[in-house]
Structure formats: structure tokens, C-alpha cells
Amino acid sequence: MFEIRRYSQEYAEEWNLFVAQSKNGTFLFDRHYMDYHADRFEDYSLMFYLDNRLFALLPANRKDHILYSHQGLTYGGLVMDEHCRTAQVCELFKQLNAFLKSTGFQQVIYKYKPFVYTQLPSEEDLFALTDVCHSSILSRTVSSVVDLFHPLAFAELRRRGVKKAVDYQLRVEESTDYAAFWQVLTDNLQQKYHAHPIHSLAEIMMLHERFPHNIRLFVVRKDKQVVGGTVLYLSQHIVKTQYISANDDGKKMGALDLLFDSLLTKFASEGMHYFDFGTSNIPENNELNESLIHQKEGFGGRAVCYDTYSWTL
């Protein structure tokens, strides 16, 4: 029998230590990251113990009668260590469902973590979603990922952009000038989508201070002016673009082409395995943004899906 405990602050150190030693956790599951927006969600994260040993974690929040894989995170699912076995995880889900039903939940919405974010094979929960929960796919978004061990050549349009940026004497550098990049990002989102970044400038600077090795900013400058850039999230062997933006001058001069030509080379030389350009679905209807994914595929990115599952209790 599993002992299921609801997470509270007193378990923060134990939680974070387990995430750090897990086979499929990333720094997004560290409570110093998760809790930055604790006021926006009713946290209902769960901890599973077997024989008095912490066995697995489930980052989650509650909304009405639904348990969500935490809505403030890009991906989620069960966080496990190398000792977890398939039959045990299936039993965990049986007991989880009984526990949730007894506490008034009616549905579970579960964001699955793409395989590129795991350090070891970690699909025990994926099997349990079918075998135990009889879940169905609620939504699927598509990301563009470069395998840095086997990178594909840039498309001709992207190569021309790199040459143009070199001719304009643009330069790529790591920076902590989040304010300058946030101005480019905010202006771009406002003009194109009438939207704002998910994180405020204060939030992203705070998170960078908490995770300086995981959250990094790279910008493209023309002389001293920031004309483009990207905020990257680094986890173990994978780099993910959290934000990408360029102003009109940067777009004309090929700033992003030079930026990613530089970054893919840099992180490949440092031994990172994957570079995730993020999803290319339109948030309002989940349809494919073909121009956006065309750009990402031009850098050599190919499809990895982010799936969300649902089941009733």
C-alpha cells in the first residue's frame, strides 16, 4: 500500500532532493520554481511513499473537482527515480484514483513529459494511463527539437540569414540585461498578438537569480542595441527556448538566424543532447502555426509532441 500525502511547505527540502535525484525531473519541479506563482493556483501536489520511502511525486493543482498536472508548468506527470517499476506504478495509479475519488475529485488532466526531458526511460506512467486509467488524449501540441548529436543542416533561407547578420556585424552574447530584451519581447507580442509575456520582467529576473545556471539570456546586438534574443531553460542534457524575439531591425538583419547558429554550435560543443525550440500551436484553437514551425524546422528542428491526457474517476 502506498501512503499518499499532500505536499506542504514542511516537505520542501525532501521534495527538492527527490527531484534532483530523479530520472525524469527538471528544475521546473523544484519548489523554488513552482512556488513563484503559488498565489495563482491551489496547489494539490502529491507525494507517494512505499515502505516509508519517498517513491514518487506528482506536481499538481486543484480547480473545482479536477486535478491538473500543474497548470503553471510546461510539462508534468509523475516524477520518479530509477527504482520505480511498471507494476508498482500501475498500483500507484489505482490507489491515486481511489484517493482522489474519496476526496471529491471527478476528473484528472495529466500533462505528459516528452522523452527528451528524461535522463532514463520513464514511461511507466504512460503505460498506467492506458492500462489502469483508460485515459484519452485531450490535446497534443508539437514542438521542434534538434538532436545535437545528429544535427540537420540549416535550410537555405536560414543560412542566408546568418550571412546577412554577419555582413551587418551583429554579435551574439550572453547577458543579464533582461530589461532590454523584455522591451523587445513585449513590443513584439503587443504588435503581433496583442499579448504579454507569461512572466513579468520582475518574475523572470527573480527566477534567474534563483536558478542562474538554468535560466540564461542570450542577446543579439547591433553596436550597443539589443535587436533580438532568447531566454533559455537548461535542464541536464536539454536546452529549451522559453522566449524568442527580435525587433523589426533584428528581423531584417537576420538576428535570430545568427543567434541560433551560434547557440546550437555552443551547446553541441558542451555536450548537450537536445535543443527544444518549443511548441508552434495557436493557443486559442491549438491549430498549427505553419509559418512559426517552418522557421524552427529551418534550424533543423523536428517534431516531438507534448500530450495531455484526461480520465474520469
Side-chain angles (χ1 to χ4, degrees):
M1 291 290 293
F2 285 93
E3 178 190 357
I4 303 176
R5 297 182 196 170
R6 185 174 172 185
Y7 171 80
S8 62
Q9 188 61 38
E10 66 185 289
Y11 298 117
E13 186 176 350
E14 184 181 17
W15 175 287
N16 289 341
L17 182 61
F18 188 89
V19 169
Q21 297 175 344
S22 68
K23 67 176 182 175
N24 66 338
T26 72
F27 79 96
L28 268 69
F29 301 135
D30 187 293
R31 299 308 307 200
H32 291 101
Y33 186 92
M34 286 184 62
D35 293 343
Y36 88 89
H37 49 23
D39 58 318
R40 301 177 203 172
F41 303 96
E42 181 186 353
D43 190 276
Y44 210 94
S45 299
L46 298 172
M47 306 172 73
F48 302 86
Y49 292 82
L50 186 63
D51 298 328
N52 296 315
R53 182 181 70 84
L54 185 56
F55 180 84
L57 308 171
L58 182 61
N61 69 279
R62 178 175 193 158
K63 188 174 181 182
D64 300 325
H65 299 292
I66 303 174
L67 183 79
Y68 288 88
S69 276
H70 203 289
Q71 290 176 288
L73 301 176
T74 306
Y75 46 74
L78 202 66
V79 180
M80 301 171 280
D81 67 18
E82 62 185 21
H83 302 291
C84 291
R85 306 292 182 90
T86 302
Q88 293 173 315
V89 173
C90 286
E91 182 59 33
L92 180 153
F93 273 87
K94 290 176 186 176
Q95 294 183 33
L96 168 64
N97 289 342
F99 169 82
L100 293 174
K101 193 169 183 179
S102 72
T103 50
F105 286 95
Q106 298 172 359
Q107 185 181 7
V108 178
I109 295 179
Y110 188 96
K111 284 189 283 193
Y112 189 71
K113 186 185 308 87
F115 76 94
V116 292
Y117 286 89
T118 67
Q119 291 79 64
L120 291 171
S122 305
E123 296 191 347
E124 291 84 359
D125 59 338
L126 186 59
F127 178 77
L129 294 185
T130 301
D131 188 65
V132 175
C133 303
H134 309 294
S135 66
S136 57
I137 293 180
L138 183 65
S139 66
R140 169 172 285 164
T141 56
V142 62
S143 188
S144 301
V145 177
V146 175
D147 183 340
L148 296 174
F149 290 177
H150 306 281
L152 301 177
F154 276 26
E156 176 61 27
L157 183 61
R158 305 275 70 87
R159 290 199 298 271
R160 289 204 303 268
V162 174
K163 184 179 183 305
K164 186 191 301 182
V166 171
D167 291 342
Y168 276 108
Q169 298 182 320
L170 303 188
R171 70 181 191 278
V172 175
E173 61 183 42
E174 187 164 7
S175 175
T176 56
D177 191 358
Y178 282 86
F181 174 69
W182 231 245
Q183 190 63 58
V184 172
L185 174 66
T186 302
D187 290 348
N188 204 22
L189 287 174
Q190 274 289 304
Q191 291 169 14
K192 253 184 133 173
Y193 305 109
H194 304 291
H196 298 279
I198 294 172
H199 300 90
S200 68
L201 174 59
E203 286 173 341
I204 199 68
M205 292 179 66
M206 175 193 68
L207 290 170
H208 168 70
E209 289 175 5
R210 291 182 182 181
F211 299 95
H213 302 296
N214 301 100
I215 301 176
R216 297 165 65 181
L217 169 65
F218 290 83
V219 299
V220 186
R221 293 186 187 271
K222 172 62 176 172
D223 301 323
K224 294 183 179 181
Q225 183 189 5
V226 172
V227 296
T230 182
V231 175
L232 301 179
Y233 278 19
L234 283 72
S235 299
Q236 286 87 15
H237 58 278
I238 183 167
V239 184
K240 181 184 182 298
T241 58
Q242 187 69 15
Y243 294 102
I244 305 169
S245 198
N247 62 19
D248 289 342
D249 288 340
K251 292 171 187 174
K252 292 173 186 174
M253 293 185 287
L256 296 183
D257 298 310
L258 180 68
L259 176 65
F260 290 116
D261 181 59
S262 173
L263 293 179
L264 292 173
T265 300
K266 170 184 170 61
F267 288 113
S269 70
E270 293 177 5
M272 300 298 274
H273 193 167
Y274 297 108
F275 194 102
D276 184 357
F277 280 96
T279 57
S280 298
N281 295 77
I282 300 169
E284 292 75 19
N285 54 24
N286 211 41
E287 290 181 2
L288 184 65
N289 185 329
E290 293 192 20
S291 62
L292 181 59
I293 201 168
H294 178 74
Q295 180 189 37
K296 295 173 181 179
E297 289 175 343
F299 295 120
R302 293 297 182 266
V304 169
C305 289
Y306 284 63
D307 289 347
T308 300
Y309 294 82
S310 174
W311 67 94
T312 54
L313 298 166

